[in-house]
Amino acid sequence: MKKSLIFLGGLLISSWVMAQNPLSVHVLNLENGLPSSDVKVTLEEQKNGQWVQISEAKTNQQGRISALFPENKPFNTALYKVTFKTGDWFKQNNQKTFFPEVPVIFQVDGSVKHYHIPLLLSPYGYSTYRGN
């Protein structure tokens, strides 16, 4: 019973963090269906036609970054780019890949408070979508 309560408490804390931060990502390996931990991810915002990096992190054991957007920075209506450094991850896992990185450009329009970007990854393909 204690394990369930602690686990449940962890989920509640995790949900609270995601609700506080406007951007999260998740990487899953389609080859084995498991999360991809230690994938480096950068976040950039487009300003005056140029990409400006505003954040960087690595996915955790569950393949997630629950708070990619910098704290105390306004989440402006703008173009953003999340880049998953997949080539580094595949190299660390002794695999070849066709895609050394996966850039995902998306528009924040203010219609929702939280954006979630999942990446389904394999050595020679990937898929992404707007999650929740």
Side-chain angles (χ1 to χ4, degrees):
M1 186 70 163
K2 278 188 175 182
K3 286 183 183 178
S4 295
L5 291 175
I6 291 169
F7 183 68
L8 179 59
L11 284 176
L12 291 174
I13 290 170
S14 181
S15 296
W16 181 79
V17 170
M18 276 202 289
Q20 299 301 312
N21 193 281
L23 182 62
S24 60
V25 300
H26 191 194
V27 183
L28 290 171
N29 182 341
L30 284 175
E31 244 184 330
N32 59 18
L34 297 174
S36 300
S37 61
D38 293 323
V39 176
K40 183 178 173 184
V41 181
T42 60
L43 173 63
E44 298 170 278
E45 182 178 357
Q46 191 175 77
K47 293 185 178 182
N48 300 320
Q50 301 291 319
W51 290 110
V52 177
Q53 185 172 321
I54 58 173
S55 179
E56 179 179 277
K58 283 192 174 185
T59 56
N60 63 18
Q61 289 297 99
Q62 292 80 38
R64 297 178 182 274
I65 301 171
S66 59
L68 186 57
F69 199 80
E71 287 185 35
N72 303 320
K73 180 175 173 28
F75 196 45
N76 299 323
T77 299
L79 270 180
Y80 291 92
K81 178 168 57 169
V82 170
T83 303
F84 299 89
K85 305 295 184 171
T86 53
D88 296 341
W89 184 83
F90 278 111
K91 186 176 181 180
Q92 291 168 0
N93 288 279
N94 299 314
Q95 288 185 284
K96 293 182 179 181
T97 182
F98 186 67
F99 300 103
E101 51 182 44
V102 176
V104 179
I105 299 170
F106 62 101
Q107 175 74 48
V108 168
D109 61 7
S111 63
V112 296
K113 291 184 180 186
H114 181 82
Y115 292 79
H116 181 68
I117 301 174
L119 177 67
L120 306 174
L121 182 62
S122 72
Y124 299 99
Y126 64 88
S127 177
T128 187
Y129 56 94
R130 179 178 159 183
N132 60 16

